[in-house]
Amino acid sequence: DAPGAIELPPLAGRVEFRDVWLSYRGGEPVLKGITMTIEPGQMIALVGQTGAGKTSIAGLLARFYDATAGQVLVDGYSIRAVAQRSLRRQMGIVPQDPFLFAATIADNIRYGRPEASDEEVREAARLANLDEFVRSLPDGYDTVIQEGGVNLSVGQRQLICIARAILARPRILILDEATSSVDTVTELLIQDALNRLLADRTALVIAHRLSTVRHADLICVMQGGRIAERGTHEELLAAGGIYWELYQRQFVIP
């Protein structure tokens, strides 16, 4: 934390990037002049080729590292000026490769809010489409997960992480394409759970499958560390640019 860092009050969820640049250890910039605003309750998707800067933007918002230049703000507060714990307490992250602890399923869900009751844990699991699976196990919510969740499928691990985020009640969500490594049936379960999680929350979504962000309020197309295009799904397709090319590669059979 910076000296004199303040506790962040309860957030509405407005996020701003103001001319943000980022270099790792003095190297070439990986982000170059990023400017965008996410209003409370909006979902903004970041798309683009690997290495375009999508994950770096998400990492800056979570303050895993600081911008080289420019500002990142939440509800008008520079995230450098607030206590990191007070920022992350109001933020949920669902990564592409979820991590679970060597503990029970209930404890893994409760990780985001340790004081939550058993009933709240079960309700979060139900909303995440996880409750039926957990109740089918001999030890139910007391089932012990091995380190990293190696005794569960990728989809089951992802649903536990979604339940964890639901229980934590964050105002801001960072999602790194949660459905990219699962089968079609599990993808539908995860997408349904994510729709519940996203309701009325500000969300920054790193998207690999364009089908998952068709209804985003704004899609930003990253290229070479910059936002090369921005607009809705329909606007970007009509423009016939980078997004249109990405869409053709994913959905149009030659």
Side-chain angles (χ1 to χ4, degrees):
D1 289 345
I6 64 169
E7 288 290 312
L8 195 62
L11 291 174
R14 190 173 197 266
V15 173
E16 295 177 80
F17 287 77
R18 295 181 181 174
D19 193 23
V20 170
W21 292 69
L22 175 66
S23 298
Y24 294 116
R25 298 180 180 174
E28 287 294 311
V30 294
L31 293 178
K32 306 168 185 177
I34 300 298
T35 295
M36 67 177 177
T37 300
I38 315 176
E39 298 295 344
Q42 277 192 333
M43 173 178 141
I44 287 190
L46 303 177
V47 305
Q49 301 286 0
T50 299
K54 305 183 298 294
T55 299
S56 295
I57 289 178
L60 284 175
L61 179 55
R63 209 179 161 213
F64 294 150
Y65 24 80
D66 288 325
T68 307
Q71 282 189 302
V72 182
L73 304 100
V74 291
D75 283 13
Y77 295 90
S78 169
I79 62 173
R80 284 185 174 181
V82 302
Q84 294 175 71
R85 181 178 176 83
S86 70
L87 171 68
R88 293 181 185 143
R89 199 165 46 216
Q90 301 187 65
M91 188 174 290
I93 301 175
V94 179
Q96 185 176 353
D97 186 17
F99 184 82
L100 301 179
F101 300 95
T104 67
I105 289 177
D107 287 341
N108 269 278
I109 295 173
R110 192 180 271 116
Y111 179 75
R113 191 155 61 88
E115 73 280 5
S117 68
D118 290 345
E119 181 54 41
E120 288 175 316
V121 168
R122 287 191 292 270
E123 176 63 10
R126 188 186 65 78
L127 292 172
N129 290 327
L130 181 69
D131 181 62
E132 185 176 348
F133 161 70
V134 176
R135 287 191 289 108
S136 73
L137 299 172
D139 294 323
Y141 285 88
D142 292 325
T143 300
V144 175
I145 297 172
Q146 296 176 24
E147 186 78 21
V150 295
N151 54 331
L152 298 175
S153 71
V154 173
Q156 289 160 353
R157 295 199 300 268
Q158 199 62 273
L159 291 173
I160 289 174
C161 281
I162 293 170
R164 180 189 291 168
I166 289 172
L167 185 67
R169 300 172 183 168
R171 285 302 309 142
I172 298 171
L173 285 167
I174 298 173
L175 306 181
D176 187 354
E177 191 65 272
T179 63
S180 60
S181 303
V182 298
D183 60 82
T184 304
V185 174
T186 306
E187 179 180 0
L188 292 173
L189 287 175
I190 291 174
Q191 197 58 55
D192 182 60
L194 286 175
N195 289 339
R196 295 192 183 103
L197 176 59
L198 287 165
D200 300 320
R201 292 184 169 99
T202 303
L204 182 68
V205 179
I206 299 172
H208 306 284
R209 295 183 182 178
L210 302 187
S211 60
T212 63
V213 295
R214 292 173 63 102
H215 303 297
D217 295 292
L218 180 69
I219 299 170
C220 293
V221 183
M222 301 291 300
Q223 186 176 62
R226 300 183 185 276
I227 297 177
E229 298 175 352
R230 65 180 83 200
T232 64
H233 172 76
E234 291 78 13
E235 290 167 348
L236 291 170
L237 283 183
I242 300 168
Y243 185 85
W244 180 87
E245 292 179 3
L246 292 171
Y247 187 84
Q248 295 297 306
R249 290 175 197 167
Q250 287 194 16
F251 296 107
V252 178
I253 300 174

